[in-house]
Amino acid sequence: MTSAGRTALPPTFFVANTMEIFERLAWYGFFALSSLYMTSPQNQGGLGFSEQERGLLQGMIPFFLYLFPVLTGALADRYGYRKMFLVAYAIMCPSYYLLGQVDTFMGFFVAFMGVAVGAACFKPVVTGTVARTTDDTNRGLGFGIFYMMVNIGGFLGPFIAGYVRAISWDWVFIMSAFWIAINFIPAYFFYKEPTDQNQQQGKPLKAVFKDIQEVLGNARFAILFFGTLVILMSYGAKWITGETTLIIYAIWFAAHIIWDKLASTHKQAPWYAQKISLGNKPFVIYLLILSGMWMVYQQIFITLPIYIRDFVDTSDLVLMLAPYTDLLQFFAPVDINLLQSELTRLSSEVANGTLNAKQAYFELVHTKVMVPTTEISQALTAIAQTPALATQYAQTWASEYRQINPEYLIGLNFLSIVVMQLMISRFVERFQALPVLVGGTIILALGTAIGGVAHGAIMGGAMVLTSILVFSIGEMVASPKSQEYVASFAPNDKKAMFMGYYFVSSAIGFLLAGPLSGYLYSEVAKGADRPDLMWYIIGALGLLTALGLVLFHKFGTTPQAVVSSPTLAQVN
């Protein structure tokens, strides 16, 4: 397809993309730093949550964020996109602010859930706008531009948040609330409704839920599926043991098999008397397989920042910045007063026998220095005897062992996508979507595996940047194509609803990614002292997903063929 053959993109397309930038500034300004914030000690402004608590929050809340668009997308198709944008901002703005005002697990959970509900109202509407304002001649380019806008916000958000967190963690959340507040202006004054409201208003809400059932499956399937995920999540959060998990699963599936044997074959029977049934089977299978890709993808935001903080020596990058004092202070700031007070506190705990050198190491990385455990042991012993030495050690370590802020390294992911996305989108638009997805997922898996090599490497900073770059190329190949694939077969009057279905794959991926991150980080990276193995396991899961996509492409029936039949309800 030549550029001359493409339809021009309308102004509403660019208004929606502008709002996407500000929404991503808010989300990634918070989320890229969330692992650091939740696991930082309370005396340093963090929440002091455990790895399991962190993983649970980062799995459960985004799960609902990406699940709710199934409903909010349908509501947007019914009531209008502009109204849903305004509702989304009215919910997100105060929720982001409240995230920085609470310090308990339940308080953070509630505020985070508010962000999730608001973002769930926003997501299917902005992607639905892109879908409605593009056609077959420019859809690939349109989603490529959209994904580039996502990453402009994703690149700038963590950088701004990383800068203001040096003032206070509170400012991270204030800035996120500010970015959302700005979005009221384009939504109210410049956004033009792309839906046909006269046609959409006539559709009752009951029909919306019927559409959801016909595409995804009936209530029996939803109970079985989400119950299975809850059990798995409970195991990942260490609420139940592995043996208990197996017993619960055996009982759970046996009960549903018996229930299904007793159920009626009539579709008009009450929901509890129906057999388990899928709606659009190829589409559901596609979403389930795709969730594996999102499970791997999310590790760059929920696991990589704390992995860099705890295990990757970025002194090679610090050395490169050494001649540029201002840049060094920006990318690798160290609060000497905080480091000094921590050394005094830790020396007292080591002297009392309540802490060892390895534990002290994991406490000190929060102050942005990475010191060998042998030197930590010697220093804390000396400080316990002569407290005045804490000042000297703080100044020396701030000079010799300072580290780059993890969120700035993660920014390479967004920057590379901003620079390269259009070029890659133009290259891959000539190929079928599913083969491109397979290739992109394999590259994602390779990028995560390279991340494991960064631990213990002489040039750890350069190695982790290489990992992020390879990972980003895989993302640029796979992610826009996964959305374009859904937009290509979604009925025009249900674009937002189908794009909402697309986010179900992200929801499941998040639900699995959070507990997986918490478990692997606690048991493999820290418990077994094998952070490299953690990344190899994650990479292997990516390859398994790619294999699933290959089998789907070879043996599955494409959703396009399914929706070409008279009604989705006929697909069983």
Side-chain angles (χ1 to χ4, degrees):
M1 179 67 64
T2 64
S3 58
R6 291 193 181 97
T7 305
L9 296 167
T12 297
F13 171 87
F14 294 102
V15 173
N17 276 271
T18 300
M19 291 190 289
E20 176 70 16
I21 292 176
F22 286 110
E23 194 275 336
R24 293 292 86 183
L25 278 170
W27 172 256
Y28 282 117
F30 152 66
F31 196 69
L33 279 68
S34 62
S35 293
L36 302 171
Y37 177 64
M38 284 189 275
T39 58
S40 292
Q42 290 185 346
N43 63 348
Q44 296 182 26
L47 295 176
F49 291 167
S50 68
E51 296 297 343
Q52 283 73 29
E53 289 174 325
R54 171 191 68 80
L56 181 64
L57 285 168
Q58 291 177 325
M60 181 182 293
I61 304 299
F63 166 72
F64 287 108
L65 189 161
Y66 285 95
L67 179 65
F68 289 157
V70 173
L71 176 60
T72 58
L75 293 175
D77 278 331
R78 173 173 166 77
Y79 295 110
Y81 286 16
R82 184 168 171 270
K83 290 179 182 178
M84 192 61 73
F85 273 132
L86 295 173
V87 169
Y89 304 148
I91 297 173
M92 278 192 285
C93 190
S95 296
Y96 271 119
Y97 176 75
L98 289 174
L99 278 174
Q101 306 304 308
V102 295
D103 56 7
T104 64
F105 181 87
M106 186 52 64
F108 195 82
F109 180 96
V110 172
F112 200 175
M113 184 62 77
V115 171
V117 172
C121 293
F122 174 85
K123 279 187 172 297
V125 184
V126 71
T127 53
T129 300
V130 174
R132 280 182 177 268
T133 54
T134 57
D135 56 30
D136 291 339
T137 69
N138 59 15
R139 184 171 290 116
L141 178 63
F143 273 97
I145 293 174
F146 171 73
Y147 206 65
M148 187 175 71
M149 298 301 105
V150 169
N151 286 278
I152 289 176
F155 171 69
L156 295 176
F159 265 80
I160 297 172
Y163 177 76
V164 299
R165 80 156 163 140
I167 304 172
S168 170
W169 274 110
D170 289 347
W171 275 98
V172 172
F173 306 102
I174 292 172
M175 288 305 301
S176 289
F178 173 72
W179 299 132
I180 296 299
I182 289 178
N183 260 348
F184 279 106
I185 298 173
Y188 190 82
F189 292 104
F190 303 107
Y191 183 81
K192 293 184 178 179
E193 185 67 48
T195 64
D196 185 348
Q197 288 298 285
N198 293 327
Q199 180 180 359
Q200 298 295 96
Q201 286 285 2
K203 189 174 185 180
L205 194 58
K206 183 178 180 181
V208 171
F209 285 100
K210 184 178 180 181
D211 285 339
I212 294 174
Q213 178 175 318
E214 289 176 348
V215 176
L216 293 182
N218 63 3
R220 285 287 318 283
F221 169 71
I223 293 173
L224 172 64
F225 178 72
F226 290 117
T228 302
L229 289 181
V230 168
I231 296 170
L232 181 62
M233 181 187 64
S234 300
Y235 171 68
K238 285 193 170 182
W239 290 346
I240 54 178
T241 64
E243 181 179 350
T244 303
T245 301
L246 292 176
I247 294 173
I248 294 176
Y249 266 135
I251 297 173
W252 180 250
F253 285 114
H256 277 277
I257 291 173
I258 296 172
W259 189 356
D260 218 48
K261 292 292 184 182
L262 299 175
S264 171
T265 57
H266 297 291
K267 293 185 177 181
Q268 300 302 320
W271 70 266
Y272 54 83
Q274 296 177 12
K275 291 184 178 293
I276 295 174
S277 175
L278 288 176
N280 189 327
K281 289 182 181 178
F283 185 40
V284 172
I285 293 171
Y286 168 74
L287 294 179
L288 292 176
I289 297 173
L290 193 65
S291 66
M293 184 193 78
W294 292 119
M295 178 181 66
V296 173
Y297 166 80
Q298 291 303 331
Q299 302 306 322
I300 194 173
F301 303 112
I302 65 178
T303 305
L304 189 59
I306 54 176
Y307 166 71
I308 295 172
R309 180 194 67 192
D310 294 345
F311 292 107
V312 179
D313 185 358
T314 59
S315 57
D316 56 320
L317 302 180
V318 172
L319 186 62
M320 291 174 58
L321 294 173
Y324 312 99
T325 306
D326 291 340
L327 286 178
L328 180 63
Q329 185 58 33
F330 178 83
F331 285 102
V334 177
D335 187 335
I336 295 180
N337 292 329
L338 174 62
L339 179 55
Q340 178 182 335
S341 65
E342 285 295 284
L343 287 173
T344 302
R345 178 181 67 85
L346 293 173
S347 66
S348 176
E349 293 188 20
V350 169
N352 294 333
T354 57
L355 200 73
N356 58 40
K358 184 177 181 180
Q359 292 170 323
Y361 165 87
F362 285 112
E363 291 282 335
L364 286 171
V365 292
H366 294 287
T367 64
K368 305 173 187 177
V369 295
M370 185 172 288
V371 186
T373 54
T374 53
E375 190 168 341
I376 290 175
S377 180
Q378 296 171 359
L380 294 182
T381 300
I383 293 172
Q385 297 173 352
T386 310
L389 290 175
T391 302
Q392 178 182 330
Y393 275 108
Q395 294 174 343
T396 302
W397 288 0
S399 175
E400 296 181 1
Y401 296 115
R402 69 170 59 206
Q403 300 291 304
I404 301 290
N405 275 13
E407 58 267 29
Y408 295 145
L409 299 182
I410 302 298
L412 177 64
N413 169 258
F414 303 107
L415 178 62
S416 61
I417 294 173
V418 171
V419 174
M420 300 169 62
Q421 182 65 69
L422 281 180
M423 177 183 65
I424 290 180
S425 291
R426 287 180 180 272
F427 176 74
V428 302
E429 71 178 351
R430 69 194 73 178
F431 304 110
Q432 292 182 352
L434 282 176
V436 171
L437 272 177
V438 172
T441 304
I442 292 174
I443 298 172
L444 278 174
L446 177 62
T448 58
I450 294 174
V453 182
H455 171 56
I458 296 176
M459 298 185 66
M463 185 59 68
V464 81
L465 286 177
T466 302
S467 168
I468 294 171
L469 181 59
V470 173
F471 183 95
S472 302
I473 292 173
E475 179 187 350
M476 285 183 273
V477 171
S479 186
K481 276 292 181 181
S482 67
Q483 295 189 52
E484 178 191 339
Y485 182 61
V486 176
S488 67
F489 63 78
N492 193 57
D493 64 335
K494 300 177 182 177
K495 290 290 187 186
M497 188 175 73
F498 265 73
M499 296 313 297
Y501 296 152
Y502 165 83
F503 288 115
V504 171
S505 64
S506 297
I508 299 171
F510 258 115
L511 187 64
L512 298 174
L516 177 70
S517 172
Y519 177 81
L520 289 179
Y521 205 82
S522 175
E523 301 299 323
V524 179
K526 282 189 171 182
D529 198 22
R530 287 294 307 276
D532 55 337
L533 179 60
M534 172 184 69
W535 288 110
Y536 301 151
I537 292 173
I538 293 171
L541 293 173
L543 292 178
L544 187 62
T545 300
L547 177 61
L549 288 170
V550 169
L551 295 176
F552 178 79
H553 183 57
K554 186 174 180 62
F555 301 109
T557 302
T558 63
Q560 290 99 320
V562 173
V563 297
S564 64
S565 57
T567 64
L568 287 173
Q570 294 174 348
V571 180
N572 295 311

